[in-house]
């Protein structure tokens, strides 16, 4: 699980071009948007694309649950694991 | 029209201080990937900018110090950011999804938009392109605002050479560089006066972009710059206008 967390963090840093942020700076449980890492709505779209590209997961754009899936690195990891288990 | 240049800041890789610019020669252009710090831009915004936008905001920042809140803002660039445009077109051509961030910043006024948001500018602003004449056209636009009663105008010009893919189509030498000028219709202490006139095109167009010629002239000691773009001959003169 720690490996996936690291992969997700690295993906966030690379895809969102977070210049000054290292993997250690991202708290697995902290919110990604708003108060935590401070990502915005364009980042959410970019992240959705990156997840499809890197982890081959499908994201339903209209799903009410997206907000929960995208809350933190931990919730993204659970989402990715659940998706790959169901494939 | 005679205008007074009350502020000038310029940035190019390796060319930041007045001393460095004094040594600038058009026959030796910087060719590195170096980017400016753009320290005035919040980090979460800055990360999204390529050098084209970063350098524009780098030079615009110090120009703001003396800028009135109602001063119109002009951002000019001939091609904009063709590296970003090319990546988006390449994605479209291969049916790959477009980067939302790349798409949101693909318009010609993207750097101007970010600048106006950061600086909370509510004055009129325009982003323009006019082929090889872009810098002169932006200057004309500034004069127009001054003639219409604006006390000051901020002119920011950013140039990035064409992306590799388009390089064979280049019809002039370009350099990665940005220039910010504050132009005023009224004399101000220590501000040089400059007059731009347009004449019929010469027999052949010059090799260098107007920006390269302007930066070399501005930081040099010649009284007059004459530059041919193939469409027009532009003459910038220091001191009082001839006519």
């Amino acid at each position: 699980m720690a490996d996936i967390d690291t992969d997700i963090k690295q993906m966030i840093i690379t895809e969102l071009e977070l210049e000054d942020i290292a993997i250690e700076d991202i708290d697995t449980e902290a919110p990604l948007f708003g108060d935590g890492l401070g990502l915005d709505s364009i980042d959410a779209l970019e992240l959705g694309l990156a997840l499809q590209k890197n982890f081959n997961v499908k994201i339903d754009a209209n799903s009410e649950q997206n907000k929960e899936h995208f809350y933190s690195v931990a919730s993204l990891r659970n989402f990715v694991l659940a998706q790959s288990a169901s494939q | 029209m005679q205008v007074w240049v009350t502020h000038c800041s310029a940035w190019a890789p390796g060319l930041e201080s007045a001393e460095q610019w004094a040594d600038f020669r058009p026959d030796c252009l910087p060719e590195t990937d170096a980017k400016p710090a753009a320290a005035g831009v919040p980090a979460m915004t800055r990360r999204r900018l390529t050098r084209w936008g970063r350098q524009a905001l780098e030079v615009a920042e110090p120009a703001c110090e003396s800028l009135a809140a109602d001063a119109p803002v002009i951002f000019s660039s001939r091609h904009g950011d063709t590296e970003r445009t090319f990546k988006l077109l390449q994605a479209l051509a291969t049916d790959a999804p477009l980067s939302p961030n790349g798409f949101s910043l693909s318009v010609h006024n993207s750097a101007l938009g970010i600048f106006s948001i950061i600086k909370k500018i509510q004055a009129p602003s325009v982003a323009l392109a006019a082929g090889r004449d872009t810098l002169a056209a932006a200057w004309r636009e500034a004069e127009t605002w001054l003639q219409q009663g604006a006390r000051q105008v901020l002119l920011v010009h950013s140039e990035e050479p064409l992306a590799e893919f388009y390089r064979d189509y280049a019809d002039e030498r370009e350099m990665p560089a940005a220039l910010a000028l504050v132009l005023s219709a009224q004399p101000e202490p220590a501000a040089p006066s400059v007059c731009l006139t347009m004449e019929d095109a010469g027999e052949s167009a010059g090799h260098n972009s107007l920006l390269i010629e302007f930066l070399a002239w501005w930081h040099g000691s010649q009284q007059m710059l004459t530059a041919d773009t193939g469409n027009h001959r532009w003459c910038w003169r220091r001191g009082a206008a001839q006519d």
Side-chain angles (χ1 to χ4, degrees), chain A residues 2-3 12 20 23 26-27 47-49 60 69 71-72 79:
Chain A
D3 287 349
I12 291 173
D20 310 322
I23 288 176
I26 302 179
D27 183 344
L47 213 49
L49 268 187
D60 178 359
H69 297 326
Y71 179 76
S72 64
F79 175 56

Side-chain angles (χ1 to χ4, degrees), chain A residues 16-17 19 40 43 46 49, chain B residues 47-48 54 98-99 101:
Chain A
L16 306 184
E17 298 177 76
E19 299 176 334
D40 62 21
D43 291 316
E46 204 76 53
L49 268 187
Chain B
R47 70 193 158 109
R48 295 193 165 134
R54 278 173 85 123
L98 290 179
S99 155
N101 177 46

